[in-house]
C-alpha cells in the first residue's frame, strides 16, 4: 500500500502539495475546515464586528478570510502560476489584467485542482482539531483528529502530515503604549472589506506594507483624513501627493499621539476616529500537539530550511511559511521537496545535521542584526537544487523586484500602468529604474 499523507488546508499550498504527493504515488487526504477549496483566496464578505482586532481566532464570530473586496494581486500573473499550469496567457474568471483580482486567482486554483485530480481528495468542512505523533517505536505515524460537518469527531492514522494552513488569518497587532485607555475604534485589516464605514472619518493606518498602502489609499477617497504610520517611513514623511488628505508619519509608540479633537499646528498628535492596524499576521498552529516546536516573534522553529522540524522529520513538514518571495513558485518547490523525501527519492541529513544548519542560520541572522520575524524568507534557488529543478530565471527575479519597487510608489495606478503595451514606457512613467 502507498504511504498515506494528511494535508492540513486546501489553499494554494495544500492544493499544490497534494498534486506533488499524488505524483509521487502517495495516498493523500486534504482537510479543509471551510466549505470550499481556495484558502485565503476564497473571499468572505463577513467581518468579525464583535472582535474587530480578532484577538480570539477561535471565538464564535471568528472569520477565516482576510481579503478585502477590491484586492488585486501584488505580483503579475506571470509569477502566479504553477509548472504545467500557468496563469499567464489564460483567463479563468473573466479578469485578464496583469494583476488580477482575487476572484480570478480563486478560479485559477479551482481549475488547477480539478485538472490534477486534487479536488476529489479534499474533505470540505473537515476541521483538524489535533495532530500528534504516535512515537518512534511505531514508525512515527501520526494521529489526526478532525471534526466533520455533522459535528462528529473522528481519528485517523497517517504516515505523514503536511501543514498547509496558511498564515493570513490570525492578526499581529502593534503594541502602542496606553492604547487601552484610548476611546476610539480599533480594528485590524483582517476585518477590512470595503471603504464605506470610514466615510468622513479621521483614520490612522498603522503599517505600510502592500495591503496597508492599498487600503490607506482606497480609504482616502471617502475619509476626511488618512494618516499612515510606519517604522519604515523616515524617507517620506509628510503629505503624499497627489492625495489631498494622506500623510505619512513615523512609527506610533504612544496613544497620546491620538487626539479626539483637531490638534494645534504645533502639536505632533493627530485627530483620530479609527486606528486600522495593517501590521500583518501570526503563524498559528493550534492543532499541533507536540513538543519542541515554538513560534517566537513569528519564527517557527526549529525548522530545517523552513520546512522540516528536525525532531519529527521527514513525517511532519510545513509548506508555505516563507514570505518576500514568488509565493506560488515557492509553494511548488517546497511541495516537490516534501513529496520527494516522503517517497524516498530524496533524503535529509540526520537530526543533528539539520539542527546544526538551523543554528547556523540563526547565528547569521543575529550577526546581521535581523529580527526573528524575518526568519522565513525566500529560498527558491536552494529548493530548486534539492529537487533537480532549474534555478530561478533572471527575468523572474527582475519582475519580482520591479513589482516590489512599484508597490512602494504610493500610486494606486501602478498595476494598470504595468499593462501598457510598451512596458518600458510604463516603467518610465512609474519612475522605476532598472525595470525589466
Amino acid at each position: 500500500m502507498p504511504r498515506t499523507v494528511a494535508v492540513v488546508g486546501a489553499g494554494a499550498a495544500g492544493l499544490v502539495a497534494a498534486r506533488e504527493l499524488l505524483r509521487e504515488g502517495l495516498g493523500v487526504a486534504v482537510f479543509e475546515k471551510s466549505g470550499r477549496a481556495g484558502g485565503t483566496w476564497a473571499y468572505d464578505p463577513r467581518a468579525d464586528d464583535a472582535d474587530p482586532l480578532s484577538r480570539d481566532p477561535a471565538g464564535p464570530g471568528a472569520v477565516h478570510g482576510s481579503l478585502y473586496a477590491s484586492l488585486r494581486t501584488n505580483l503579475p500573473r506571470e509569477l502566479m502560476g504553477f509548472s504545467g499550469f500557468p496563469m499567464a496567457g489564460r483567463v479563468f474568471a473573466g479578469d485578464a489584467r496583469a494583476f488580477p483580482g482575487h476572484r480570478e486567482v480563486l478560479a485559477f486554483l479551482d481549475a488547477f485542482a480539478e485538472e490534477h485530480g486534487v479536488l476529489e481528495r479534499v474533505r470540505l468542512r473537515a476541521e483538524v482539531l489535533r495532530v500528534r505523533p504516535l512515537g518512534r517505536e511505531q514508525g512515527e505515524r501520526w494521529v489526526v483528529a478532525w471534526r466533520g460537518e455533522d459535528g462528529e469527531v473522528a481519528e485517523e492514522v497517517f504516515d505523514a502530515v503536511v501543514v498547509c494552513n496558511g498564515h493570513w488569518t490570525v492578526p499581529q497587532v502593534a503594541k502602542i503604549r496606553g492604547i487601552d485607555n484610548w476611546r476610539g475604534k480599533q480594528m485590524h485589516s483582517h476585518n477590512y472589506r470595503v471603504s464605506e464605514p470610514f466615510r468622513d472619518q479621521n483614520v490612522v493606518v498603522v503599517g505600510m506594507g502592500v495591503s496597508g498602502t492599498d487600503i490607506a489609499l482606497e480609504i482616502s477617497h471617502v475619509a476626511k483624513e488618512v494618516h499612515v504610520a510606519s517604522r519604515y517611513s523616515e524617507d517620506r514623511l509628510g503629505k503624499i501627493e497627489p492625495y489631498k488628505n494622506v500623510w505619512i508619519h513615523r512609527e506610533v509608540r504612544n496613544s497620546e499621539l491620538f487626539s479626539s479633537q483637531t490638534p494645534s499646528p504645533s502639536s505632533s498628535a493627530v485627530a483620530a476616529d479609527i486606528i486600522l492596524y495593517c501590521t500583518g499576521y501570526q503563524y498559528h498552529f493550534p492543532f499541533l500537539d507536540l513538543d519542541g516546536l515554538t513560534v517566537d516573534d513569528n519564527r517557527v522553529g526549529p525548522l530545517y530550511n523552513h520546512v522540516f522540524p528536525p525532531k519529527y522529520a521527514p513525517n511532519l513538514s510545513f509548506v508555505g511559511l516563507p514570505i518576500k518571495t514568488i509565493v506560488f513558485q515557492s509553494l511548488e518547490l517546497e511541495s516537490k521537496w516534501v513529496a520527494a523525501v516522503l517517497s524516498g527519492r530524496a533524503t535529509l541529513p540526520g537530526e543533528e545535521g539539520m539542527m546544526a544548519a538551523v543554528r547556523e542560520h540563526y547565528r547569521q541572522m543575529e550577526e546581521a542584526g535581523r529580527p526573528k520575524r524575518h526568519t522565513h524568507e525566500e529560498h527558491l534557488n536552494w529548493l530548486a537544487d534539492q529537487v533537480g529543478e532549474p534555478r530561478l530565471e533572471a527575468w523572474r527575479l527582475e519582475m519580482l523586484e520591479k513589482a516590489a519597487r512599484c508597490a512602494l510608489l504610493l500610486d494606486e495606478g501602478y498595476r494598470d500602468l504595468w499593462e501598457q503595451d510598451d512596458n518600458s514606457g510604463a516603467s518610465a512613467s512609474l519612475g522605476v529604474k532598472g525595470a525589466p
Side-chain angles (χ1 to χ4, degrees):
M1 290 182 61
R3 300 189 72 204
T4 56
V5 185
V7 176
V8 182
L15 296 176
V16 73
R19 181 185 77 165
E20 299 306 327
L21 292 165
L22 289 169
R23 284 178 165 180
E24 292 287 344
L26 299 163
V28 178
V30 184
F31 294 86
E32 171 54 49
K33 71 177 182 180
S34 74
R36 67 150 14 260
T40 195
W41 292 102
Y43 175 69
D44 187 342
R46 298 175 303 155
D48 190 352
D49 295 327
D51 183 14
L53 291 175
S54 294
R55 296 190 185 277
D56 182 8
V63 176
H64 177 75
S66 298
L67 294 185
Y68 42 97
S70 65
L71 184 138
R72 293 170 65 181
T73 65
N74 62 349
L75 293 179
R77 61 197 312 136
E78 288 88 349
L79 301 182
M80 293 291 293
F82 298 122
S83 64
F85 203 86
M87 280 194 78
R90 308 169 72 187
V91 180
F92 297 88
D95 185 354
R97 294 175 295 178
F99 293 78
H102 53 81
R103 292 174 183 83
E104 177 76 8
V105 181
L106 183 62
F108 161 79
L109 291 173
D110 285 341
F112 169 82
E114 183 171 1
E115 178 163 312
H116 293 94
V118 171
L119 280 183
E120 60 197 57
R121 307 299 181 114
V122 178
R123 305 180 188 181
L124 298 176
R125 303 196 187 282
E127 180 181 6
V128 173
L129 303 175
R130 190 181 185 202
V131 172
R132 62 179 176 85
L134 276 174
R136 293 180 183 274
E137 68 278 9
Q138 298 184 46
E140 291 187 343
R141 302 186 76 200
W142 293 79
V143 178
V144 176
W146 60 283
R147 179 169 52 217
E149 188 172 7
D150 59 4
E152 294 294 318
V153 176
E155 286 193 348
E156 292 180 59
V157 177
F158 293 87
D159 295 307
V161 175
V162 185
V163 178
C164 304
N165 69 321
H167 48 89
W168 306 110
T169 296
V170 179
Q172 179 80 40
V173 178
K175 294 180 174 62
I176 299 175
R177 190 168 63 251
I179 197 63
D180 291 339
N181 298 320
W182 188 67
R183 295 183 179 180
K185 180 178 180 180
Q186 300 179 67
M187 65 178 289
H188 191 276
S189 59
H190 171 68
N191 287 306
Y192 175 81
R193 297 295 181 268
V194 295
S195 62
E196 187 57 32
F198 298 85
R199 181 170 296 278
D200 300 324
Q201 301 289 296
N202 289 333
V203 184
V204 172
V205 175
V206 180
M208 207 167 72
V210 176
S211 292
T213 301
D214 279 351
I215 292 171
L217 297 182
E218 181 171 274
I219 287 173
S220 73
H221 295 292
V222 299
K224 182 178 179 181
E225 294 181 0
V226 177
H227 299 271
V228 182
S230 169
R231 64 164 62 99
Y232 304 115
S233 61
E234 289 296 328
D235 60 340
R236 51 173 68 187
L237 297 176
K239 190 171 179 295
I240 299 302
E241 298 296 341
Y243 303 96
K244 65 181 185 301
N245 60 344
V246 182
W247 290 263
I248 292 184
H249 305 264
R250 293 182 177 86
E251 181 180 14
V252 177
R253 297 181 182 275
N254 192 322
S255 65
E256 292 177 1
L257 293 175
F258 305 129
S259 171
S260 59
Q261 300 177 345
T262 303
S264 67
S266 61
S267 172
S268 60
V270 298
D273 301 301
I274 302 174
I275 301 172
L276 175 58
Y277 296 95
C278 297
T279 44
Y281 295 83
Q282 303 177 47
Y283 298 102
H284 189 60
F285 314 103
F287 49 85
L288 290 181
D289 181 11
L290 45 82
D291 298 321
L293 190 79
T294 62
V295 181
D296 180 11
D297 191 21
N298 259 5
R299 168 184 283 175
V300 184
L303 290 180
Y304 177 59
N305 279 282
H306 315 289
V307 174
F308 290 102
K311 181 177 179 179
Y312 300 103
N315 296 328
L316 179 66
S317 56
F318 295 77
V319 169
L321 299 189
I323 57 175
K324 297 183 180 179
T325 185
I326 304 175
V327 176
F328 279 22
Q329 187 169 4
S330 179
L331 297 178
E332 181 175 349
L333 287 173
E334 288 183 335
S335 297
K336 287 179 181 291
W337 187 32
V338 169
V341 169
L342 290 178
S343 70
R345 283 199 310 109
T347 58
L348 297 173
E351 180 177 344
E352 183 48 44
M354 287 188 279
M355 280 303 306
V358 172
R359 287 191 291 268
E360 175 60 17
H361 180 209
Y362 292 173
R363 186 197 65 78
Q364 291 178 3
M365 287 189 63
E366 186 174 355
E367 190 175 84
R370 296 173 60 204
K372 291 179 180 179
R373 64 180 179 274
H374 291 173
T375 296
H376 305 295
E377 296 188 352
E378 187 271 325
H379 62 149
L380 290 173
N381 284 333
W382 188 93
L383 282 169
D385 291 343
Q386 305 312 301
V387 296
E389 295 279 338
R391 287 196 156 206
L392 186 68
E393 304 99 315
W395 70 265
R396 289 185 185 274
L397 181 59
E398 290 167 356
M399 190 172 285
L400 174 66
E401 292 175 345
K402 175 187 171 183
R405 291 196 301 271
C406 289
L408 294 175
L409 295 175
L410 299 178
D411 184 339
E412 290 177 287
Y414 81 87
R415 292 177 175 91
D416 296 316
L417 286 171
W418 185 292
E419 296 175 291
Q420 292 180 5
D421 291 339
D422 180 359
N423 206 16
S424 62
S427 301
S429 68
L430 286 165
V432 178
K433 298 179 180 179

